[in-house]
Amino acid sequence: MQNAKKEIILFSGLAVLVLWVLVAMGPAFGVRVLAEASCYAILALGLTIQWGYAGLFNAGIMGFVALGGFMAMLFGFPVNEDFWNTDLPAQLGGVGLKALFGIALIYGSTKLYKLGFPGKKLRLTLTLVLSLAVYLWVKTSLDPVASAIESQAGFIGGFGWPIWIGWIVGGSLAGLIAYFIGHICLGLRSDYLAIATLGIAEIIKAFLKNADWLTRGTLTVSPLPWPGPGPAEIGFVAARAVYLSLTAVIIAGLVFLLYRAYNAPWGRTMRAIRDNELSSSAMGKNVNGRRLEVFIFGSVLMGIGGAALITFNGIFDPSGFLPLNHTFLIWVMVILGGAGNNLGTLFGAVFVYVVWTMSEPVALYLLDVMRNLGEAWFAWEAPADLDSRALQARVFVIGLIISLVLRYAPKGLIPEKVAHHT
Amino acid sequence: MALIETNSIYAGYGGMNILNGVNMSIEQDEIGVIVGPNGAGKSTTLKAIFGLLNVNEGNITLRGEDITNLSPDKLVHKGMGFVPQEYNVFTSLSVEENLEMGAFIRKDDFGYMLERVYSFFPDLKDKRKQPAGELSGGQRQMVAMGRALMVEPSLLLLDEPTAGLSPLYMNEIFDRIVAVNESGVGVLMVEQNAKQALRIAHKGFVLAAGQNRYTDTGENLLNDPEVAKSFLGG
Amino acid sequence: MNEFIFFINIVVISGAVIGSIYALGAIGVTLIFGILRFAHFAHADMMTLGTFLVLVLTALFPAVGPAIGLPTAFVMMPLAMAATAVIAIGIDKAFYKPLRENNVKPVVMVMASVGVTLMLQGLIRFFAGTGSQSLFVDDRKAIFRIDLPFESASRAIVVTEPQILLFLFLAVAVVSLHLFLNKSRLGKAMRAMSDNPDLARVSGINTNTVVGVTWIIAGALACAAGTLLSLDVTLKPDLSFMILLPIFAAAIVGGVGHPYGALAGGFVVGFAETLAVFNWAFLLRPLEQALPWLDLPNNLAFVPTEYKITIPFFILVAILIWRPTGIFKGKVI
């Protein structure tokens, strides 16, 4: 009863906040913020599954976001005729075939023991040397093709397919990467997963940023087509509203699925593992298998959410992926809202995103006041980059919120409801 | 005045009690042995005395001073030593370093105490530079007891000191415990090998379901047909 | 011959420099891992914070260094190390200790350290901006050229003063740490607590003191690592996650909770990075002259410099697959 009351108060507060933004900043801006918040909500749902259901620390959400965004761009962006009308696609295909052949060779070398090939160490060395050779071979054949593409066609462009295909592929690819990382790390200490995901995110970003032939790198790709009608056709407010309703449908579907899964045996097993790993594994639960499922599923959502977010932004900019905006902001949404509680996560996503967006003008305004006062009273000469510093200071606030929530409200504002069976 | 006394303590993890009124007391020159079936709360009693879990009701006194729910490090200062059943040595530290860690709270020169521990456990002297993790189970137990003795405690708490040891080593450990006791250290220990343990005990406590079932001298308990039938395997 | 000297300059010296930096960071990370049992994500920003303190001190007293004949920043480093150590203890008291006392899971501690790292980042960037800065405020970097007594060697081996100071500092730090851990009571208590925290508590070891000492060592070394790195190149306030990954990789390669392992791991990761981005074509060019049929590409680096971050990651993945305990057996997995 107490909880229901608190939820009503929190959600009405959120509604007032959203209304205020809509009125004060205009509907075009307001709907934009809401649409972006809804994309973040998909990301946050992915994280709440990983962290709230299974206690997995994913410090590399940014990587999955970037991957989803890249796939959306690759599939949805119009075809680049400059590229397809040359023999470059054939050359690129040749490199691809070489890579496939090389991977088959390496895979074969790991199966040599079936032919009775002696010595475990010898086989391992052989595989390593072979991998290195294949890597160098593929790399030296790719390099000239890549620079030819860059000089003749800019980049390979997209496939010109409906962009939602890219969303799905992006989600699947994110899941595939999650499978590999999870496979390696989930049997080990929980910290190692955090370190590995942090690493993979930086690597994905470095790759997308520097593979100019594939992504145009720092030149960025825009405009990305929208799954619904674009602003040019029906105006900003309407187009954004259509987009928002699309993401809202996705979220509703996800929440329904998660609700079912959470209360199904699968969800109960998950929570049992999270709360007491030892006894669950003693009861014969496949702890790492379950965790891997959760990790993959959450990452798929992050890929889709990332694709939705980048598509909405309309621009694919690999340098724009920041750990702060695309990893830790989502962490704040989840732990502040209530990890493991879908409603809490949605609340956290919308609330934190609105506050985050509004904090930019507020921080600039405060800094401006400070600068004027400083100049007037102390003849203080403000550094020229004070504005960018003011935005940097928001990092501090995010960190502070994480620390405070962990200490004073470890279950978040709307905690997970634990049903006690007595 | 009793060295250690527990007055109907109720204790357990969280709010749930595992001990439901345990009474025991031993004098300075005595060995007390706690026996009983699995799950009777034997180790829990030791942990409750040593402040490793919450005592919810009742009190514990050391020479008349109330020590209920004091933290382990305070109890070490008050002259209590505790040897856990498992993981009771620092495996990566040498034998001598293990003993030094036992004397961590001492600010004086404890060299003489090292020698005294080596005289109790001569095996250890030869191995004092060796990492404790490389020793046999019995030797580890000696290191663990030696570590606890370094503060010259008035009371030594031992949690199943002979668990997993061969009969040969078991007897040797019992001999050492008697020797330690004769040097003036009160001993309260939990034992699975009830018969052998009661043989060296001045006092025995038979626990069942978190309560004292029988309390008597070791000898009387051994000779009590009821106890023998129910708890000592005939 | 010149090719060989080039190799020494680019690979041996640079690898040793970056390896030493990683080692200094990884020793702190591994000690925290061993004693407090969580991966300290705020370590990189603690390095930056320490360096920033050095920068402030150097700007305040620019004349001190020239008077002694050392870079001012290096003279100021001990002060900043002490300050960073105090700050580290303060951070522990404010943010980690309350959680520790609630017996939270290690992964919650990891997240708390992420919170701390974001706060530090915010503060540093707010006060220092995001641009690179030089620690040489009023003095210049001394560079030593060592000519080799060979006919064919027209190039010289180049070492800078900060690099020499780095090697000396690392040697002194490692020897002192070794003596501390093996000879002093507190050092032994640290090893004991990292070995078996429950038994340490039962033995009457004051675990709060041990935790404090851990933060002092980790904080001081982090400050030194950041300062010595910035003396060699420049102070980059946004290094953070980029340097965190190799440091974690070094700590895990060396075996978590194992300071000597962290030292070795630092050099493994450092040299792996430099060897991977080194352009082997330079070294093989004489071969091309000798064998006319050989046609080498201009760039024979294994990994382009932009992808340097992949090296520690692959080392990390490899070690997690084949030997999660590290090359020296760490205890916590």
Side-chain angles (χ1 to χ4, degrees):
Chain A
M1 206 52 229
Q2 193 69 41
N3 273 341
K5 207 170 165 189
K6 187 172 149 195
E7 277 171 29
I8 290 170
I9 294 174
L10 283 172
F11 273 98
S12 2
L14 184 64
V16 171
L17 183 70
V18 168
L19 271 177
W20 174 75
V21 171
L22 277 171
V23 172
M25 310 294 289
F29 182 87
V31 181
R32 193 200 95 192
V33 170
L34 279 182
E36 281 169 355
S38 70
C39 299
Y40 270 97
I42 301 177
L43 294 170
L45 282 176
L47 183 63
T48 208
I49 298 172
Q50 293 180 344
W51 171 248
Y53 289 15
L56 302 175
F57 193 141
N58 182 349
I61 305 171
M62 175 184 84
F64 299 118
V65 171
L67 214 54
F70 169 56
M71 282 297 139
M73 185 275 275
L74 186 66
F75 279 83
F77 199 71
V79 174
N80 182 359
E81 299 296 341
D82 290 349
F83 169 71
W84 290 101
N85 289 340
T86 57
D87 63 340
L88 289 170
Q91 287 183 27
L92 196 60
V95 176
L97 283 181
K98 280 183 186 174
L100 278 181
F101 176 67
I103 290 169
L105 261 185
I106 296 170
Y107 182 75
S109 79
T110 61
K111 298 289 168 201
L112 272 179
Y113 66 93
K114 291 196 172 161
L115 301 177
F117 198 77
K120 201 179 169 197
K121 283 233 164 87
L122 198 66
R123 284 202 311 265
L124 184 65
T125 322
L126 186 75
T127 305
L128 284 179
V129 170
L130 196 65
S131 311
L132 195 64
V134 166
Y135 164 75
L136 287 178
W137 181 52
V138 172
K139 182 176 172 300
T140 41
S141 8
L142 178 64
D143 283 349
V145 181
S147 38
I149 294 174
E150 278 162 34
S151 59
Q152 292 174 33
F155 77 126
I156 66 169
F159 298 159
W161 296 352
I163 200 155
W164 54 266
I165 297 179
W167 292 17
I168 294 170
V169 177
S172 321
L173 204 60
L176 191 69
I177 301 255
Y179 169 76
F180 284 114
I181 302 180
H183 198 67
I184 294 166
C185 295
L186 283 179
L188 304 168
R189 278 184 61 115
S190 45
D191 314 41
Y192 290 177
L193 182 71
I195 299 170
T197 45
L198 184 77
I200 197 82
E202 292 294 342
I203 288 175
I204 291 175
K205 182 181 168 184
F207 174 73
L208 295 179
K209 205 162 116 182
N210 293 300
D212 285 15
W213 60 278
L214 200 59
T215 65
R216 279 207 344 166
T218 45
L219 291 175
T220 74
V221 183
S222 66
L224 301 181
W226 278 11
E233 296 154 47
I234 53 172
F236 273 109
V237 181
R240 286 171 179 172
V242 171
Y243 200 101
L244 174 61
S245 46
L246 175 68
T247 48
V249 168
I250 296 178
I251 291 172
L254 284 174
V255 169
F256 175 71
L257 276 178
L258 289 179
Y259 178 78
R260 293 283 298 270
Y262 185 86
N263 293 305
W266 180 86
R268 279 200 296 276
T269 313
M270 254 355 284
R271 279 169 282 145
I273 290 172
R274 177 195 62 192
D275 296 333
N276 195 338
E277 182 182 341
L278 212 60
S279 70
S280 311
S281 82
M283 285 191 301
K285 307 286 185 201
N286 179 358
V287 172
N288 290 329
R290 285 287 112 76
R291 282 188 174 160
L292 192 58
E293 285 168 17
V294 159
F295 189 61
I296 293 173
F297 184 40
S299 303
V300 169
L301 292 194
M302 289 171 186
I304 295 174
L309 182 67
I310 301 308
T311 306
F312 182 81
N313 289 343
I315 178 169
F316 178 76
D317 174 12
S319 339
F321 296 112
L322 301 173
L324 181 67
N325 293 12
H326 297 105
T327 298
F328 297 117
L329 192 62
I330 301 159
W331 267 103
V332 172
M333 292 169 178
V334 170
I335 61 173
L336 186 73
N341 180 330
N342 300 327
L343 215 56
T345 304
L346 292 182
F347 171 84
V350 177
F351 176 73
V352 170
Y353 193 72
V354 170
V355 172
W356 173 253
T357 317
M358 298 313 293
S359 73
E360 188 174 323
V362 171
L364 289 179
Y365 173 75
L366 282 180
L367 251 284
D368 203 46
V369 169
M370 209 172 96
R371 176 168 30 207
N372 290 335
L373 287 182
E375 275 168 8
W377 294 350
F378 311 109
W380 174 57
E381 204 171 311
D385 58 348
L386 200 63
D387 286 353
S388 87
R389 290 189 188 191
L391 298 184
Q392 294 292 351
R394 295 193 299 167
V395 181
F396 177 82
V397 179
I398 291 287
L400 188 67
I401 294 175
I402 293 182
S403 306
L404 293 179
V405 169
L406 286 183
R407 179 155 171 195
Y408 296 107
K411 293 188 185 317
L413 291 177
I414 305 178
E416 181 185 1
K417 291 182 192 65
V418 184
H420 286 288
H421 305 282
T422 40
Chain B
M1 190 186 293
L3 170 62
I4 184 90
E5 194 170 350
T6 70
N7 297 313
S8 56
I9 50 170
Y10 289 71
Y13 300 94
M16 308 257 280
N17 282 332
I18 298 173
L19 305 183
N20 301 302
V22 172
N23 288 297
M24 51 184 62
S25 93
I26 61 168
E27 303 297 324
Q28 180 63 61
D29 53 355
E30 289 183 330
I31 297 179
V33 172
I34 308 172
V35 298
N38 281 333
K42 303 186 300 284
S43 294
T44 311
T45 308
L46 278 199
K47 286 181 180 156
I49 293 175
F50 201 63
L52 291 168
L53 50 83
N54 256 353
V55 176
N56 299 322
E57 245 179 84
N59 65 11
I60 304 168
T61 56
L62 182 72
R63 282 205 214 81
E65 184 190 353
D66 190 353
I67 55 157
T68 319
N69 286 332
L70 280 188
S71 65
D73 53 310
K74 293 217 175 69
L75 292 171
V76 173
H77 281 273
K78 293 205 179 293
M80 235 192 240
F82 176 68
V83 179
Q85 184 190 343
E86 288 178 301
Y87 308 110
N88 53 16
V89 295
F90 298 110
T91 48
S92 62
L93 271 62
S94 72
V95 169
E96 189 149 310
E97 284 171 337
N98 264 278
L99 299 181
E100 285 174 37
M101 285 305 104
F104 186 83
I105 61 165
R106 295 184 65 153
K107 302 279 177 261
D108 55 338
D109 180 17
F110 49 81
Y112 73 95
M113 203 53 216
L114 276 177
E115 289 310 314
R116 198 187 293 173
V117 167
Y118 288 141
S119 70
F120 280 131
F121 310 109
D123 285 14
L124 298 185
K125 188 155 190 179
D126 309 331
K127 313 218 172 219
R128 63 180 197 272
K129 296 284 173 218
Q130 215 168 315
E134 292 174 5
L135 303 183
S136 70
Q139 288 166 335
R140 281 186 191 213
Q141 197 61 45
M142 294 177 188
V143 173
M145 281 166 60
R147 196 212 80 242
L149 286 174
M150 287 301 291
V151 282
E152 297 182 62
S154 51
L155 174 66
L156 191 59
L157 304 173
L158 305 173
D159 194 355
E160 302 208 19
T162 66
L165 296 186
S166 66
L168 195 71
Y169 254 126
M170 198 160 80
N171 288 332
E172 185 166 353
I173 294 287
F174 281 138
D175 287 349
R176 301 292 158 220
I177 293 172
V178 171
V180 166
N181 173 248
E182 278 167 359
S183 76
V185 182
V187 175
L188 180 61
M189 64 184 201
V190 168
E191 258 302 333
Q192 287 280 14
N193 300 305
K195 275 185 184 168
Q196 290 92 325
L198 286 176
R199 243 168 244 146
I200 62 165
H202 299 99
K203 278 204 187 119
F205 309 94
V206 181
L207 248 57
Q211 277 176 318
N212 297 54
R213 187 61 60 82
Y214 299 94
T215 307
D216 209 330
T217 64
E219 209 184 325
N220 287 349
L221 285 175
L222 275 174
N223 297 329
D224 185 333
E226 278 286 309
V227 176
K229 206 177 112 203
S230 328
F231 297 105
L232 304 179
Chain C
M1 200 61 215
N2 277 343
E3 288 79 10
F4 182 64
I5 293 172
F6 187 74
F7 181 77
I8 290 185
N9 281 340
I10 295 287
V11 174
V12 178
I13 295 181
S14 313
V17 165
I18 198 70
S20 309
I21 300 290
Y22 291 163
L24 283 174
I27 290 173
V29 163
T30 219
L31 287 177
I32 297 172
F33 227 139
I35 302 285
L36 296 156
R37 283 171 166 67
F38 73 98
H40 187 226
F41 270 61
H43 212 74
D45 280 299
M46 213 177 246
M47 283 168 64
T48 313
L49 175 78
T51 317
F52 180 62
L53 294 177
V54 169
L55 181 67
V56 171
L57 286 170
T58 311
L60 286 177
F61 311 100
V64 177
I68 305 178
L70 287 170
T72 312
F74 187 73
V75 180
M76 291 302 165
M77 196 171 82
L79 279 179
M81 281 165 71
T84 314
V86 172
I87 292 172
I89 292 181
I91 288 175
D92 180 63
K93 285 244 157 67
F95 298 108
Y96 301 143
K97 199 171 176 224
L99 295 178
R100 205 159 55 230
E101 282 168 354
N102 282 343
N103 283 324
V104 300
K105 290 184 191 162
V107 75
V108 175
M109 299 294 290
V110 176
M111 207 199 303
S113 73
V114 168
V116 167
T117 210
L118 294 178
M119 282 191 279
L120 289 179
Q121 261 176 38
L123 286 178
I124 293 164
R125 291 179 191 184
F126 185 74
F127 288 107
T130 46
S132 310
Q133 305 205 26
S134 173
L135 281 187
F136 288 92
V137 174
D138 217 23
D139 35 10
R140 270 164 24 97
K141 195 186 290 189
I143 295 172
F144 305 105
R145 292 174 192 283
I146 306 161
D147 286 305
L148 291 186
F150 295 112
E151 199 64 24
S152 55
S154 56
R155 281 158 166 257
I157 293 179
V158 180
V159 202
T160 65
E161 190 182 9
Q163 290 171 346
I164 293 173
L165 291 174
L166 167 65
F167 298 142
L168 287 178
F169 180 85
L170 181 69
V172 171
V174 167
V175 171
S176 332
L177 188 68
H178 176 81
L179 291 177
F180 174 73
L181 288 177
N182 288 293
K183 301 289 173 208
S184 78
R185 257 154 64 91
L186 217 47
K188 288 176 192 172
M190 252 176 95
R191 283 164 52 214
M193 192 169 159
S194 148
D195 186 316
N196 189 337
D198 294 329
L199 189 62
R201 210 164 301 125
V202 167
S203 303
I205 291 175
N206 187 340
T207 49
N208 282 333
T209 315
V210 174
V211 168
V213 172
T214 309
W215 284 113
I216 290 177
I217 298 175
L221 289 184
C223 171
T227 309
L228 291 163
L229 175 67
S230 306
L231 272 173
D232 188 40
V233 278
T234 49
L235 164 56
K236 293 196 193 92
D238 53 355
L239 214 49
S240 202
F241 294 123
M242 286 313 222
I243 198 159
L244 199 58
L245 194 63
I247 285 178
F248 276 143
I252 294 173
V253 163
V256 155
H258 208 301
Y260 315 115
L263 180 68
F267 282 103
V268 168
V269 176
F271 277 112
E273 269 188 8
T274 17
L275 285 173
V277 299
F278 178 66
N279 185 356
W280 292 89
F282 282 111
L283 207 57
L284 298 176
R285 205 155 288 154
L287 215 62
E288 202 174 22
Q289 284 158 8
L291 309 165
W293 48 266
L294 192 71
D295 185 29
L296 285 173
N298 277 332
N299 192 341
L300 261 185
F302 287 110
V303 178
T305 326
E306 310 92 79
Y307 298 141
K308 203 155 111 180
I309 184 87
T310 52
I311 301 299
F313 182 77
F314 279 113
I315 294 177
L316 183 75
V317 167
I319 204 85
L320 289 184
I321 292 176
W322 279 301
R323 211 180 153 92
T325 45
I327 40 178
F328 295 83
K329 266 217 164 78
K331 8 159 273 341
V332 227
I333 15 167

